[in-house]
Amino acid sequence: MRTQVVSRTQVGIVGAGPAGLLLSHLLSRRGIDSVVLEARSRSYVEQRVRAGVLEHPTVELLREAGLAARLDAEGLPHGGISLRFDGGDHRIDFADLVGKGITVYGQQEVVKDLIAARVDAGEPIEFEVSDVVLDGLTTDAPSIGYTAADGTRRRIECDVVAGCDGFHGVSRRAVPDVRIAEREYPFGWLGILAKAAPTHDELVYANHDNGFALYSMRSPEVTRLYLQVRPDADPAEWSDARIWDELGTRLQADGFTLNEGPFLERPSVTGMRSMVAEPMRHGRLFLAGDAAHIVPPTGAKGMNLAIADVRLLADSLADLLLHRDETGVDTYSERALRRIWRAEHFSWWMTSMLHRFDDDHANGDAFGRALQLSQLRYTVSSRAAATGLAENYVGLPHGAV
Ligand code: RFL
Ligand code: PHB
């Protein structure tokens, strides 16, 4: 048998994405210690390009938690988005409709800030661990077994395990009575990161006969773009010239120009799905973020939901561990799921309104297409409808639904 090194912490956290890292930070501010275990290397998680939009409540929370110095200096505040269809642009003015906005700041920048805060606090993150096994979850002394980067087999004994290990992690599978509700969409997104100055100040969501396109950005020098493609599309089918050509077609509008530039990483395809796992708890194991739920990226909600989950979880764990009060942990799953289902609906609705669905139908889905255009026209012409989009996009206040 290999030697096993045993250590102890209060909360063992699996996964160093936004959920796991922020949970560790929020717990340490309450004097609760934790250890974060991560399968990948530090440089891998710091480079992984994903989400770009921070909701208003996310920014407020990061500020309250002392994590917003770089976000406030480098984040791009946006007061609206455009819906582009019928060859025209229709702005949804968040500032006017709901008095709040969003901030464009890459997920990997949030992750870098969170890792820096953990390192500054002397709180350990163990990168490149493997063979994670969760034990004793229905006792009050659970443990996490794993192989460390140096090959030693280790075990952490804790009071609570937080499963923040994303969609492909092990934690969700450790909930024996988990119920999964899900939906797959018949398309994916080809993601493009280009060294090209944005020519437009805000995000553009385009519904075009050829399919959906999204115009976004990361900084005054970097544009982030997405194209709806077949879910099994091979990125090799998409040459640089074909990508720019298709972006130009789908994003075409009077007065709009697209700056082209070299790609900063190889374009890749992400599948689109909705998924919710209930309950988000099994004994002393609590799930948070993508480990428990997935949304299609059209509503820009995935990372924001992960952050809302761990805010609730940190409060609940503080009540349990500092005051032996189990009310918070007993209701965590139910309370978290209220916001999760709101975001699931909003993301499904945005996805349904903006994408082309009829690739498999020779004659096209004329009924579905007409419904989309009707919904788009209503959304941009009725203040009530536009306010519904704005309120959900900037993020309902935590605890509001
Ligand atoms: P993460 O970020 O996936 O982190 C989970 C971490 O757990 C690690 N892990 C393990 N560690 C130890 N042992 C194991 N057995 C492990 N298994 C996995 C993983 O390596 C990883 O580091 O989940 P978290 O923290 O819940 O955060 C969720 C967000 O990352 C996610 O919701 C968003 O990125 C989704 N998403 C978007 N969300 C938005 O809010 N706006 C967007 O614009 C947006 N665009 C996107 C996205 C996700 C994408 N991909 C590839 C999934 C665009 C893309 C392409
Ligand atoms: C992004 O900038 O990566 C982004 C923005 C909005 C979305 C999805 C992705 O809805």
Side-chain angles (χ1 to χ4, degrees):
M1 254 192 60
R2 282 177 294 177
T3 355
Q4 203 173 57
V5 184
V6 180
S7 57
R8 215 205 108 71
T9 190
Q10 286 173 290
V11 181
I13 301 176
V14 190
L21 291 166
L22 181 61
L23 179 63
S24 175
H25 181 86
L26 295 176
L27 291 172
S28 104
R29 284 168 67 86
R30 292 172 166 83
I32 297 169
D33 59 85
S34 63
V35 172
V36 181
L37 301 175
E38 166 59 47
R40 304 287 194 156
S41 68
R42 177 173 177 176
S43 68
Y44 183 91
V45 299
E46 289 189 341
Q47 305 305 320
R48 189 165 47 190
V49 176
R50 286 187 171 176
V53 170
L54 305 187
E55 291 179 338
H56 179 80
T58 297
V59 173
E60 278 189 323
L61 174 62
L62 294 175
R63 283 196 187 125
E64 276 164 36
L67 290 162
R70 213 160 60 87
L71 162 64
D72 282 330
E74 296 173 24
L76 307 172
H78 285 196
I81 56 167
S82 283
L83 298 180
R84 189 167 289 177
F85 57 95
D86 281 345
D89 237 357
H90 307 270
R91 182 161 188 265
I92 306 287
D93 187 335
F94 297 156
D96 172 48
L97 293 163
V98 292
K100 292 173 193 162
I102 51 146
T103 303
V104 172
Y105 188 67
Q107 174 169 331
Q108 76 272 33
E109 306 306 326
V110 176
V111 165
K112 279 182 208 159
D113 295 344
L114 285 164
I115 291 177
R118 303 315 324 113
V119 170
D120 284 352
E123 297 253 345
I125 304 173
E126 280 209 50
F127 290 99
E128 298 179 76
V129 307
S130 53
D131 302 320
V132 168
V133 177
L134 310 181
D135 276 316
L137 296 173
T138 52
T139 70
D140 55 12
S143 67
I144 310 176
Y146 64 100
T147 303
D150 65 5
T152 52
R153 190 71 195 159
R154 294 173 181 256
R155 187 157 56 89
I156 299 184
E157 295 176 343
C158 33
D159 298 319
V160 166
V161 175
C164 301
D165 47 356
F167 182 64
H168 299 287
V170 294
S171 302
R172 184 172 63 257
R173 278 172 267 147
V175 180
D177 48 358
V178 72
R179 297 182 303 277
I180 306 283
E182 60 188 328
R183 179 153 303 185
E184 288 214 24
Y185 302 87
F187 38 75
W189 279 15
L190 183 72
I192 298 126
L193 192 69
K195 187 159 173 40
T199 52
H200 195 78
D201 291 342
E202 293 176 347
L203 274 62
V204 178
Y205 288 79
N207 173 312
H208 187 275
D209 281 343
N210 285 9
F212 170 74
L214 173 59
Y215 180 88
S216 180
M217 62 211 65
R218 284 292 178 273
S219 71
E221 294 86 38
V222 176
T223 311
R224 176 77 167 153
L225 302 135
Y226 296 93
L227 281 174
Q228 175 183 353
V229 294
R230 290 196 329 275
D232 57 350
D234 176 356
E237 297 163 25
W238 287 88
S239 66
D240 295 16
R242 183 179 174 206
I243 288 173
W244 287 116
D245 192 48
E246 194 58 30
L247 285 167
T249 302
R250 296 191 196 178
L251 290 167
Q252 202 280 322
D254 282 349
F256 180 80
T257 51
L258 189 61
N259 267 352
E260 297 186 11
F263 295 160
L264 294 170
E265 56 165 39
R266 263 190 317 117
S268 61
V269 176
T270 310
M272 304 268 282
R273 71 167 71 230
S274 301
M275 186 280 290
V276 179
E278 301 188 36
M280 293 165 64
R281 174 192 189 177
H282 174 58
R284 286 288 180 107
L285 167 68
F286 297 87
L287 303 180
D290 277 16
H293 43 78
I294 295 290
V295 286
T298 327
K301 287 284 165 256
M303 172 175 54
N304 292 295
L305 265 190
I307 285 173
D309 284 357
V310 298
R311 176 187 208 160
L312 268 187
L313 186 55
D315 287 343
S316 306
L317 293 181
D319 288 344
L320 176 72
L321 299 173
L322 303 177
H323 310 295
R324 296 177 187 278
D325 176 354
E326 303 207 0
T327 324
V329 289
D330 284 347
T331 54
Y332 162 70
S333 177
E334 186 192 320
R335 287 180 296 139
L337 282 160
R338 296 178 72 88
R339 185 180 192 84
I340 292 162
W341 275 112
R342 177 86 301 278
E344 290 287 344
H345 179 273
F346 179 66
S347 307
W348 163 84
W349 177 74
M350 288 281 280
T351 302
S352 307
M353 180 167 71
L354 288 162
H355 289 76
R356 179 178 164 145
F357 274 81
D358 59 359
D359 265 1
D360 295 334
H361 301 275
N363 298 318
D365 176 11
F367 186 77
R369 182 86 187 102
L371 288 183
Q372 280 187 333
L373 288 172
S374 170
Q375 184 65 39
L376 282 162
R377 291 182 190 126
Y378 173 56
T379 302
V380 301
S381 56
S382 152
R383 188 172 174 90
T387 303
L389 191 158
E391 177 173 60
N392 280 278
Y393 198 98
V394 305
L396 290 152
H398 287 159
V401 281

